[in-house]
């Protein structure tokens, strides 16, 4: 493999990466990328390895010996610190991140996203190891624009709804709206990591993903995801399409979201891994502001793409409206828009540019799921 260069023209030294949550959707794509394109070694930590099995065997694979799977639940495993010590960099992807759980399992959500992450941050800080921590775009909560009168011309001003890492406030609903338990836990661990950097010199990068989608997303309850509860919006719609059921639009599907293809997003993560001087100390939005739609538009587009991919006729009533209380239970609340400002990532890691259109990434995802 030819010597790889960082963005400043320096050769990249092979490193050992401790990846917590390597068996999940994002982790599996990141492991693939690291094995196929870099000389780095991965200590892959997770409870399951189904999504990375193809990377682990047989021994004849070109990267044999560069990826090791360790079956670990980080809640209670004394091996965690030793594995972090063995690595140059720790990437923490472990989290409960399914909206239906936020208000039905708030304690699990808070423990998973804050308490369970504490030892990881502590071990990295105490052992002078670099940390890339995966947070969420949910830490922004609601936009300032959502509090303006419906007819206010300011609603068209990007300053009121485009989300910036260094200036946008984090606006959550009231305590009884337990949906914000996830965002709050994620925000607090971000603040703790940032404080470790300021007070104890921890080298960190925080990633805020904006709806990363693609093959191997959890989407079928009990088969490819939790058996209880409701998966995220794209996974939910995929599940409905595969089962020939109408897509449920929560509160009319008026919320707006942006979507980015997992393979585009992983390119950005690789730049962070291999350019620590440019990435350390930063929080990065990783999304594609060009792929913005309402949830209703997403449902319409997915129905069309699925009809093309599957060859099956469209349902007579492809979607139905449901209330958030009926769909998610008591205590649900939501953000209106999630549009990432890309200034900081473009300044620090300028060569990243997500190119995949929403139609193409939906086609790729649904083709994989329909196999």
């Amino acid at each position: 493999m030819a010597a790889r260069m960082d963005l400043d023209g320096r050769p990249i030294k092979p490193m050992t990466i401790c990846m917590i949550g390597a068996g999940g959707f994002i982790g599996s794509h990141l492991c693939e990328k690291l094995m196929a394109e870099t000389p780095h070694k991965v200590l892959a930590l997770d409870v399951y390895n189904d999504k990375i099995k193809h990377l682990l065997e047989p021994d004849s694979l070109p990267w044999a010996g560069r990826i090791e799977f360790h079956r670990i639940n980080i809640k209670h495993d004394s091996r965690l610190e030793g594995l972090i010590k063995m690595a140059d960099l720790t990437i923490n992807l472990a989290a409960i991140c399914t909206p239906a759980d936020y208000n039905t399992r708030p304690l699990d959500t808070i423990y998973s996203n804050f308490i369970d992450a504490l030892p990881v941050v502590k071990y990295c800080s105490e052992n002078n190891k670099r940390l890339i921590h995966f947070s969420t775009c949910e830490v922004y909560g609601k936009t300032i624009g959502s509090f303006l009168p419906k007819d206010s011309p300011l609603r068209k001003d990007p300053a009121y709804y485009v989300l910036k890492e260094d200036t946008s406030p984090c606006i959550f609903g009231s305590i009884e709206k337990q949906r914000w338990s996830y965002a709050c836990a994620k925000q607090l661990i971000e603040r703790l990591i940032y404080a470790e950097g300021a007070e104890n010199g921890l080298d960190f990068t925080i990633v805020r993903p904006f709806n990363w989608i693609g093959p191997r997303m959890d989407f079928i309850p009990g088969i490819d995801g939790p058996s209880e509860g409701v998966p995220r919006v794209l996974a939910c719609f995929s599940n409905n399409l595969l089962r020939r059921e109408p897509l449920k639009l929560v509160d009319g599907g008026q919320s707006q979201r942006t979507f980015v293809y997992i393979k585009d997003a992983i390119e950005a993560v690789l730049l962070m891994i291999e350019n620590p001087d440019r990435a350390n100390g930063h929080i990065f939005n990783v999304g594609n502001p060009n792929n913005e739609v309402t949830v209703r538009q997403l449902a319409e587009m997915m129905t069309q793409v699925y009809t093309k991919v599957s060859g099956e006729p469209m349902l007579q009533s492809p979607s139905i409206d449901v209330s958030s209380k009926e769909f998610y239970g008591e205590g649900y609340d939501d953000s209106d828009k999630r549009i990432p400002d890309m200034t900081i990532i473009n300044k620090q890691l300028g060569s990243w540019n997500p190119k995949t259109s929403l139609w193409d990434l939906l086609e790729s995802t649904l083709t994989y799921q329909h196999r």
Side-chain angles (χ1 to χ4, degrees):
M1 205 177 276
R4 293 168 61 77
M5 299 290 179
D6 68 15
L7 292 172
D8 298 306
R10 295 174 300 220
I12 296 164
K13 291 186 190 132
M15 66 182 94
T16 299
I17 299 167
C18 174
M19 193 186 303
I20 301 165
F25 164 55
I26 295 172
S28 68
H29 284 276
L30 185 50
C31 285
E32 273 183 352
K33 182 91 171 164
L34 290 165
M35 291 304 106
E37 296 182 23
T38 79
H40 309 314
K41 181 177 178 181
V42 174
L43 307 174
L45 282 57
D46 212 320
V47 183
Y48 305 108
N49 66 3
D50 307 6
K51 294 183 183 182
I52 54 170
K53 259 198 175 127
H54 61 294
L55 301 174
L56 301 172
E57 50 203 38
D59 289 344
S60 57
L61 291 168
W63 50 78
R66 281 186 28 235
I67 181 166
E68 289 173 12
F69 179 67
H70 297 263
R71 194 176 298 279
I72 277 185
N73 183 334
I74 62 164
K75 276 187 203 317
H76 39 66
D77 200 301
S78 56
R79 293 172 292 168
L80 180 62
E81 185 172 14
L83 288 161
I84 287 173
K85 277 183 177 176
M86 285 166 63
D88 305 294
L89 161 69
T90 293
I91 299 176
N92 189 12
L93 289 152
I96 285 181
C97 49
T98 311
D101 291 332
Y102 305 161
N103 53 304
T104 56
R105 296 168 56 205
L107 285 175
D108 283 347
T109 300
I110 292 164
Y111 271 77
S112 161
N113 291 291
F114 180 66
I115 305 292
D116 297 349
L118 287 175
V120 177
V121 180
K122 179 170 171 271
Y123 296 149
C124 286
S125 186
E126 288 175 354
N127 294 290
N128 296 316
K129 300 294 184 180
R130 186 177 169 221
L131 171 66
I132 295 180
H133 184 83
F134 273 71
S135 184
T136 171
C137 58
E138 290 229 3
V139 296
Y140 293 108
K142 305 183 183 207
T143 66
I144 302 172
S146 68
F147 293 91
L148 294 167
K150 287 268 188 286
D151 55 356
S152 169
L154 292 176
R155 278 183 172 254
K156 293 191 169 59
D157 183 343
Y160 289 90
Y161 60 84
V162 174
L163 302 169
K164 301 187 178 191
E165 300 95 328
D166 53 350
T167 58
S168 293
C170 304
I171 306 172
F172 303 144
S174 62
I175 300 298
E176 66 198 34
K177 300 290 188 189
Q178 293 199 92
R179 188 251 196 280
W180 299 109
S181 58
Y182 172 69
C184 241
K186 282 291 200 183
Q187 187 206 129
L188 191 53
I189 198 74
E190 279 198 27
R191 291 192 183 276
L192 184 104
I193 291 166
Y194 202 91
E196 280 286 358
E199 288 191 32
N200 297 324
L202 172 68
D203 284 336
F204 72 87
T205 303
I206 291 170
V207 185
R208 290 180 181 164
F210 280 72
N211 295 80
W212 297 9
I213 60 177
R216 293 199 293 274
M217 280 184 73
D218 296 331
F219 68 101
I220 301 180
I223 297 173
D224 197 20
S227 55
E228 317 246 309
V230 184
R232 282 162 285 190
V233 61
L234 191 123
C236 225
F237 287 171
S238 301
N239 192 17
N240 294 141
L241 290 165
L242 289 166
R243 296 180 181 207
R244 305 281 298 152
E245 297 166 355
L247 277 55
K248 292 178 176 174
L249 300 177
V250 176
D251 296 337
Q254 294 311 301
S255 297
Q256 286 171 270
R257 296 290 181 264
T258 58
F259 295 88
V260 65
Y261 190 42
I262 182 68
K263 292 190 188 306
D264 289 343
I266 291 301
E267 292 278 353
V269 180
L270 189 58
L271 286 168
M272 294 173 209
I273 291 170
E274 296 192 326
N275 293 276
D277 291 350
R278 288 170 174 247
N280 282 347
H282 287 285
I283 299 171
F284 292 118
N285 289 340
V286 181
N288 187 345
N290 299 319
N291 284 344
E292 189 206 353
V293 284
T294 64
V295 171
R296 182 176 285 279
Q297 288 167 328
L298 176 72
E300 288 163 2
M301 194 183 276
M302 284 183 72
T303 304
Q304 291 167 0
V305 172
Y306 187 74
T307 303
K308 178 189 168 188
V309 164
S310 67
E312 294 173 9
M314 205 180 282
L315 291 179
Q316 287 235 296
S317 304
S319 66
I320 51 170
D321 285 7
V322 295
S323 73
S324 54
K325 184 178 175 184
E326 180 189 341
F327 192 74
Y328 286 117
E330 203 69 60
Y332 189 77
D333 197 10
D334 207 352
S335 48
D336 50 322
K337 296 187 185 202
R338 287 198 207 130
I339 302 167
D341 179 87
M342 304 306 288
T343 308
I344 292 179
I345 194 167
N346 289 335
K347 182 179 164 211
Q348 295 302 120
L349 308 171
S351 60
W352 182 65
N353 181 23
K355 298 180 181 68
T356 313
S357 71
L358 187 54
W359 180 277
D360 288 346
L361 64 84
L362 289 175
E363 191 167 345
S364 165
T365 306
L366 291 171
T367 301
Y368 174 85
Q369 292 174 352
H370 185 256
R371 293 177 314 171

